[in-house]
Every structure is written in C-alpha cells, then in structure tokens.
C-alpha cells in the first residue's frame, strides 16, 4: 500500500494535478469509477457473474475498473493523511468483535 | 495487499459469509460504503474539507468508511481472482502513457 | 414533477439551506442516498428481492430511500435549471431510436 | 410521474427487457448513471459548477445523465410497486417535522 501511495502521488505531482484533488472531487471521481464497475455487472445474472468474469478479457476489464477505484481511494487517503492499510486492519479487528462468529455464522447482517 | 486479502477471506470464512459474496452483492455493499463516505463530506465546503478532516475524530470516521470501501474491494478482487495491487500498478503505468505529463500538466482531463 | 420541485425548493428555502446546494455537494448527497438504497438489497438473493420487498415494512424502507434519491435529483435539477421530466422524456425518445426493438429484443445491452 | 412510469414500462416491454430488471440489477444500473453524472462534475471547482453548467451543451449533458438516473429510479419503483411521487411527498412531510425550520436554519445537518 505504501508503494502504491508513492506511485499515485508521483503520478499526480508530475502532472500538477494535486490542485484538483480536494476530498469532495476525489470522492466524485471514485463514484465515477464505482459506476463503471457496476455497469460491467448490471445485467449479468447474479449466479453467472463469477463464471462470465473468469473470461480473461472480461476479468481484465473488471480489474481495470477496480484498479481505478483503488487508485482514487489511495489518492483520497493521501490527501486526508489516512493510513489506509492500517485503517482496514483496524476495521477488520473491530468487525471480529462486533460480529462474533458464533452468533452470525451463515446469517447475513440485516440493515434495518 | 496480500495480507489484507488473507484477513478479509479469513473473516468471511469464519462466518460462512462467502455464500453472500457474489460479485453483484459485493458491489452493492461497496456502493453502500462509498455512500457513507460521501455523506461525511457532502455539506462541508470544498476548500475546508482537508482542514475539517484533520480533526482526529473526523479523520478517524473518514478512515473507517474508506477502510470499509477497501475491504469490499479486496473481497470483490478475491471473488473474481483479480490481483488488485498488480491491476493498480498496470493501470497507473497505462495512465502514464495515456496522459503524457508534458501535454496535460495543470489541466484536468475533461469528460466529454 | 413541477409540484415536487416546488416542494423541494420551499423546504430548502425555509431552512436557508440553498447555500449548501452547490451541484457537487448535492451529487454527494445523492450518492449517500443511493448507498443507503443499495445497503437494503446487498445480501438479498437476487431472485428473492421482489418477494422480500413486497413485505410492507421493507417496501416502505425502500420507498423512503428512493424518495431521498428523487428529492436530491430534483434539487440538483432545480440548481442547474434542468427540466427533469422533459429530460427523461427526451432520453427515452432517443433510446427508442438507439435501441431498435427488433434488434435488441430479449438481449441486454453489453457494456464493452 | 405516472406518465413517465408508463413510458419506462412500455420501453422495457417492447424490448422484452423486464427479465433483466430485478431490483439489484436496476440499482447497479442506477449506480452506473450516478457515476456518469459524478464524472461530469468531478474536477470542476465547486464554486464554478453552476456557471460552467449554464453552458447549453454542458447543461444538456448533465440533463441527460440525470434523466438516466430518473429512468432507472422509475423502473425500480415500478418493479417494487412503489409510488415514487407519493413517497417523495411523504418523505418531505416527515423532513419538515424532523428538521424544524427554526432550529436548523442556515445549519447543515451533520452526519455523526
């Protein structure tokens, strides 16, 4: 994650694009990429999605959109001074406590 | 990224939650977390966002939502057999070519 | 749609909230509501979604999130001076031409 | 809204596309259109957005993406049996109570 942060920052700096990277703008860019990811899957039957995207060309397209999402997420973390890897580890640790395996096994958490 | 993938997979396996993680469902979960991230920033004036989120409590809230986005992105990559770190490096390399620094310096790419 | 626009504008004006409603902020708010809508459906098996949401309480929850999405969309249209109903009719008319029924019947358009 | 619902349903029926319109798929399509809307605005400085989008060509582009969002929202409402106009009016009425004008005037509601 550290190396990726360095690469993303370098890319923006070389182009003098940090001036555009206020948090709200980067989140909108992230939303744009999530939208492109969603469009790849929208009409694929749910139970065929994994199989259809095992095709190398479609897997590569999905990988590309996922990469775009990650790049903007890393960019946002850099702008906000957030250690993304550490945040993810901390969140998973908290989720281990919040969703005790014995109590939620096989049951999807239900949004009220 | 490899370690994070392992942690996310372990978390799902312990709870027998992989059954819910078809790609479309995971993308909807990702959208949910992006929505929560967006809500933190929606009414903050653009030019105050970095300063307001340098407050430790608000930074921690943003970090938490970003962590959620990353966790679902890692989960999706795992389900689709995508190497997310490699995909991001490849995309950045392609972007270096596509957006030659000399030609785009200081100019935001314009969506038609 | 005209009445709804009037209600949304009145609601904002009474609270002096138009000052927050620059387009990017309203889009982020819209994203937040789309995220809440997505969360309601994320772990529901695709083929059970209609049945599960025929339950009045869950239908009402979905309706509420959809209402929030619509309200922010109407708000954005008002800020940008867009006639949303007219835009939707024009887009549907263009889609009738772009997707000739005879050629696309039963085939989901495929994003490249 | 009733007329729009009729037009959207007719469009889908003529193409035999209702088979693709399970709720999760339609929400992903909605997310895709919200993403395209976000991309139009992402790098525009917040305080210039209204002015830049008063240009007829850019306003028309924004209107088109907003129309797409509305069409999928109407489609989702139709699939779920939700009266979208009524839901929006009910939500606004509830918001009038929840956010008493005297108490929130000029203050953006803060997400915790």
């Amino acid at each position: 994650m550290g190396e990726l942060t360095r690469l993303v920052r370098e890319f923006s700096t070389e182009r003098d694009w940090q001036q555009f990277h206020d948090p709200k703008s980067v989140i909108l860019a992230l939303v744009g990429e999530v939208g492109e990811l969603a469009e790849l899957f929208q009409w694929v039957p749910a139970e065929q999605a994994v199989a259809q995207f095992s095709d190398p060309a479609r897997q590569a397209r999905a990988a590309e959109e996922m990469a775009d999402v990650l790049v903007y997420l890393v960019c946002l973390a850099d702008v906000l001074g957030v250690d993304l890897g550490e945040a993810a580890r901390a969140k998973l640790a908290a989720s281990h406590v919040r969703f005790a395996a014995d109590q939620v096994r096989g049951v999807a958490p239900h949004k009220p």
Side-chain angles (χ1 to χ4, degrees), chain A:
Chain A
M1 200 66 83
E3 186 212 350
L4 192 52
T5 301
R6 196 180 53 71
L7 289 171
V8 170
R9 194 186 298 169
E10 186 182 278
F11 181 81
S12 298
T13 308
E14 280 179 12
R15 282 154 190 78
D16 195 15
W17 281 0
Q18 312 102 300
Q19 60 183 304
F20 304 115
H21 292 170
D22 68 283
K24 294 173 81 164
S25 297
V26 178
I27 295 173
L28 287 173
L30 177 72
V31 167
E33 302 302 341
V34 170
E36 294 187 36
L37 180 62
E39 286 179 340
L40 294 179
F41 288 86
Q42 58 194 14
W43 308 131
V44 176
E47 75 284 1
Q48 296 178 21
V50 167
Q52 287 199 18
F53 281 83
S54 68
D55 169 73
R58 295 185 83 179
Q59 190 192 48
R61 281 292 292 120
E64 200 181 348
E65 300 305 344
M66 293 166 72
D68 285 336
V69 175
L70 180 58
V71 164
Y72 281 124
L73 192 63
V74 165
C75 177
L76 181 63
D78 196 33
V79 168
L80 294 174
V82 164
D83 182 330
L84 200 51
E86 177 50 33
R89 275 187 297 273
K91 192 60 198 281
L92 279 168
S95 292
H96 269 283
V97 177
R98 184 174 165 209
F99 301 104
D102 284 352
Q103 291 172 14
V104 300
R105 190 164 287 120
V107 181
H110 188 55
K111 289 273 169 179

